[in-house]
Amino acid sequence: MSSATGSAGAGRGSHREPSKIPYYVVLTALALFALGPLVILLFNALKTNAEIGQNPLGPPLSPVFENFSNAWTQGDFATTMVNSAILTVGTVVGVCVIAGTAAYALDRLDLPGTDAVLLYLFVASAVPFQLFLVPLFFLWSALNLTNTLFGLVVIYWAIFSPFATLLLRSYLVALPRDFEEAARIDGASELQTLLRVVLPLSWPGFLTVALVSGLAAWNEFFFAITFIQDDSLKPVTTSFLAFQSDFSTDWGLTSAAGFIIILPIIVLFLFLQRRFISGLTAGGLKG
Amino acid sequence: MEANHTAAVPKRAPGSLRRRRRMLAWVFMLPLLVVNVLVILGPSVATIYYSFTDWSGLGPAEFVGLENYREILSDGDFYLAMWHNILWTLIFLTVPISMGLLGAFLLSQINRFQIFFRIVYFIPYVVASVVNAALWQNILDPDRGIGSTLASIGIPFLDGVSFFGSERLALPAVAFVNNWAWWGFVVLLFLTALQSVDAQLYDAAKVDGAGRWQQFINVTIPGIRPTLVFVVLLTIINSLLVFDYVYIITRGGPAGASEVVGTLMYKEAFERFEAGYAAAMGLGLSFVSGLIVLVFIFLRRRGWEI
């Protein structure tokens, strides 16, 4: 085994650098494992069912695009996309407001019992859904909130906002207070200070929270399948599950439907990957 | 800014200003507290009560004491599901953590294309679980999937194998799909930790004549130990509570072969209408996962280097 290795971290090598080719071979194999199945999904979305029978995993020999339009109409994406958009936007806006005001109260206002609230937020962001699912379902039934998008959004607010508050608070702690003091001396109210001074300075934190909670809401499966049974209110995820079992043999159609669901997320991720990754790994590390 | 309000502030006594700010703090905190009490705290407390009752979910709950817990402890389905959770935990403590360490270590050694690989590894993690499940159901299909494709080029041993339909393979197959969506996230967690390991420690190890493997064991692993411990903890908790991929792909089947406590509890609550029994199961599961977290915190407080 060679004793000369690139330094970890920046990875800038020492003088006698051993070949990095074996590294790239393994890394490429891992990349194929990660991306290959998604490429096969796209391939199958571009094939007729007859071609899938002949060639289930390879690239399409004569690509067709009808699967996308058929999946769009038969999967009723015109309805489910709107439902998912409402859930996602409602979650993002609500979580930003709820977590933004809470983080401001925790770090900038003299909230009595800040430590107790912080402890609660840590616990709440890690509480398993098994602990509250059953009574929550029957409470929501009693309040007529099952089978409503609003009822589902409120659940997302509650489960995403503890983590979002902790994340925003960590941004606020690092933010200098001079501008706020100036605004307060000028007589601005706390709400004005928050909206006109703190918000413009802490927008990266809000963007991260918006991306993480928006992604979670768009992809969310468990609460969506439990609380929404009405087909006309289903988001794309649970609607796709039903669509897949209805058309289980038509891989072209179901692959196209799957691709429609993941395309907006992949495009957004590619544009904002740095912020996505830092936000999601921060979530993982906070635990 | 807002100069017309200036006169109001200095005249107010500092005490009343503080009181006003405290009040305001609670007003700003209120939305979070309301939704949290309604969705998480209230129902969590209710779970404790309902776990001592016989309750269908509709109508009144009948208090039965510890009956649900006694029943769980003599429920063969529960033990089988718990065993599957343990197997799941063992799979996720080994496969994704090894892949994560390998990927992160290799990434830390290169400059070119590092961002490209990071993005690629992370993509499965941001894709919806229902779509991940569907694409692997196609790829692992017994008739038209990878088995028959390999058979057509002369490698027949996977031909006709029904990964999700066989009692022996269903659980590892579902775990495989879940791992595919998960390991890239572990790579990124380890990579962040690796990048903060002091490069001088590697240089010192090299001076001492340590090879790559010794550097990995003596420098890398101790350097990222907090992250490693955290990932182990996260893995154990996630494995105890696993639900999505099992429910989407096999619903616990065939014949309970991939049933985990999460899916079993769900069925008790919403298919068998044993809401009280399900509440007891959920509370037990949460209790165990909370206990594991507390043990970690306790050991860390006692000065264990984990």
Side-chain angles (χ1 to χ4, degrees):
Chain A
M1 195 177 277
S2 163
S3 63
T5 315
S7 53
R12 271 179 210 97
S14 52
H15 301 294
R16 288 177 301 109
E17 198 66 19
S19 168
K20 292 287 167 68
I21 289 174
Y23 292 2
Y24 282 100
V25 170
V26 177
L27 288 168
T28 305
L30 289 173
L32 287 174
F33 175 62
L35 223 46
L38 290 164
V39 173
I40 290 173
L41 181 80
L42 178 60
F43 284 169
N44 281 343
L46 295 169
K47 291 178 204 163
T48 62
N49 233 7
E51 190 182 346
I52 289 173
Q54 302 286 310
N55 164 28
L57 302 179
L61 300 174
S62 48
V64 292
F65 293 92
E66 287 94 75
N67 286 328
F68 288 100
S69 51
N70 289 342
W72 184 273
T73 46
Q74 284 171 293
D76 200 14
F77 273 101
T79 305
T80 61
M81 276 280 176
V82 171
N83 293 339
S84 276
I86 291 171
L87 287 171
T88 305
V89 173
T91 300
V92 166
V93 172
V95 168
C96 282
V97 171
I98 291 168
T101 53
Y104 190 76
L106 283 168
D107 189 55
R108 293 299 209 257
L109 302 170
D110 308 312
L111 185 76
T114 297
D115 289 342
V117 175
L118 284 178
L119 180 66
Y120 174 76
L121 291 177
F122 271 111
V123 174
S125 63
V127 152
F129 66 74
Q130 279 91 346
L131 185 59
F132 56 88
L133 173 72
V134 175
L136 177 66
F137 181 81
F138 296 107
L139 174 66
W140 252 223
S141 304
L143 296 173
N144 288 323
L145 285 171
T146 50
N147 274 320
T148 67
L149 294 176
F150 177 72
L152 192 54
V153 166
V154 173
I155 295 173
Y156 292 162
W157 287 347
I159 56 178
F160 301 147
S161 59
F163 156 69
T165 305
L166 293 171
L167 198 136
L168 284 176
R169 181 178 167 272
S170 69
Y171 267 85
L172 285 185
V173 168
L175 206 67
R177 292 160 185 246
D178 310 353
F179 297 108
E180 297 153 50
E181 298 303 335
R184 271 189 213 114
I185 287 166
D186 284 348
S189 73
E190 288 301 332
L191 194 61
Q192 285 169 326
T193 311
L194 172 58
L195 290 177
R196 298 199 193 152
V197 182
V198 177
L199 196 59
L201 288 172
S202 57
W203 67 266
F206 280 93
L207 180 57
T208 305
V209 162
L211 287 177
V212 171
S213 55
L215 176 73
W218 182 270
N219 285 342
E220 209 282 327
F221 173 77
F222 177 74
F223 288 101
I225 197 147
T226 308
F227 286 82
I228 306 271
Q229 268 88 42
D230 189 338
D231 283 339
S232 66
L233 291 171
K234 280 182 180 171
V236 287
T237 48
T238 59
S239 162
F240 175 76
L241 198 67
F243 183 73
Q244 193 202 357
S245 65
D246 290 347
F247 296 92
S248 58
T249 54
D250 197 338
W251 289 13
L253 200 62
T254 55
S255 298
F259 201 76
I260 292 171
I261 294 170
I262 68 176
L263 188 65
I265 296 298
I266 291 184
V267 170
L268 194 66
F269 173 71
L270 291 180
F271 276 108
L272 295 164
Q273 53 93 9
R274 216 172 268 277
R275 198 162 294 282
F276 261 110
I277 291 177
S278 72
L280 288 167
T281 50
L285 286 171
K286 286 246 165 53
Chain B
M1 200 185 286
E2 310 275 335
N4 50 330
H5 294 288
T6 312
V9 177
K11 280 178 191 161
R12 193 169 282 132
S16 86
L17 189 68
R18 270 194 78 187
R19 220 172 307 128
R20 225 195 83 217
R21 281 168 61 94
R22 272 189 189 177
M23 269 260 297
L24 203 63
W26 282 112
V27 172
F28 274 38
M29 207 65 217
L30 201 61
L32 184 130
L33 293 178
V34 168
V35 292
N36 258 273
V37 167
L38 198 61
V39 174
I40 297 178
L41 188 61
S44 294
V45 173
T47 294
I48 299 173
Y49 169 70
Y50 285 121
S51 77
F52 297 112
T53 67
D54 184 10
W55 183 43
S56 70
L58 294 166
E62 187 198 341
F63 191 82
V64 294
L66 291 170
E67 186 54 38
N68 288 325
Y69 293 96
R70 246 180 254 128
E71 221 173 298
I72 288 173
L73 292 178
S74 60
D75 182 347
D77 290 346
F78 173 77
Y79 282 107
L80 185 65
M82 198 65 228
W83 171 239
H84 293 150
N85 280 91
I86 293 170
L87 290 177
W88 187 280
T89 310
L90 293 177
I91 294 172
F92 276 79
L93 280 177
T94 49
V95 180
I97 289 181
S98 309
M99 291 175 79
L101 282 172
L102 176 70
F105 177 72
L106 295 178
L107 282 181
S108 75
Q109 301 292 313
I110 64 163
N111 285 322
R112 284 177 165 224
F113 301 113
Q114 201 212 53
I115 291 176
F116 167 80
F117 285 119
R118 264 169 28 189
I119 293 171
V120 167
Y121 296 168
F122 210 74
I123 285 177
Y125 184 72
V126 298
V127 170
S129 51
V130 280
V131 180
N132 288 340
L135 71 89
W136 277 107
Q137 278 171 306
N138 287 359
I139 293 172
L140 296 178
D141 187 87
D143 302 320
R144 297 192 288 178
I146 193 147
S148 67
T149 304
L150 286 174
S152 69
I153 56 168
I155 310 169
F157 75 103
L158 287 179
D159 196 19
V161 174
S162 175
F163 292 93
F164 301 117
S166 119
E167 292 194 23
R168 198 167 52 87
L169 294 175
L171 187 76
V174 175
F176 172 85
V177 177
N178 198 343
N179 172 53
W180 175 77
W182 168 249
W183 71 277
F185 178 67
V186 181
V187 170
L188 269 292
L189 289 181
F190 284 144
L191 183 61
T192 311
L194 272 179
Q195 283 169 338
S196 61
V197 176
D198 189 351
Q200 289 181 335
L201 292 173
Y202 286 97
D203 295 337
K206 271 181 260 176
V207 171
D208 291 345
R212 275 183 200 172
W213 178 248
Q214 285 168 309
Q215 287 176 36
F216 182 75
I217 295 295
N218 295 321
V219 181
T220 308
I221 294 289
I224 65 168
R225 185 147 58 193
T227 303
L228 191 58
V229 170
F230 170 75
V231 172
V232 166
L233 183 61
L234 192 66
T235 299
I236 295 174
I237 303 298
N238 282 352
S239 303
L240 268 179
L241 306 174
V242 57
F243 177 85
D244 278 18
Y245 280 93
V246 177
Y247 185 81
I248 293 168
I249 298 177
T250 64
R251 297 204 171 215
S258 59
E259 195 85 86
V260 287
V261 179
T263 54
L264 184 65
M265 177 208 152
Y266 195 81
K267 287 177 185 172
E268 293 291 351
F270 300 115
E271 288 170 23
R272 296 171 198 151
F273 303 103
E274 294 282 357
Y277 190 63
M281 222 179 250
L283 188 65
L285 206 55
S286 310
F287 180 76
V288 171
S289 66
L291 205 62
I292 290 168
V293 175
L294 285 178
V295 166
F296 267 82
I297 292 172
F298 177 74
L299 291 179
R300 195 168 264 182
R301 286 253 167 96
R302 291 290 297 267
W304 276 41
E305 287 193 1
I306 57 171

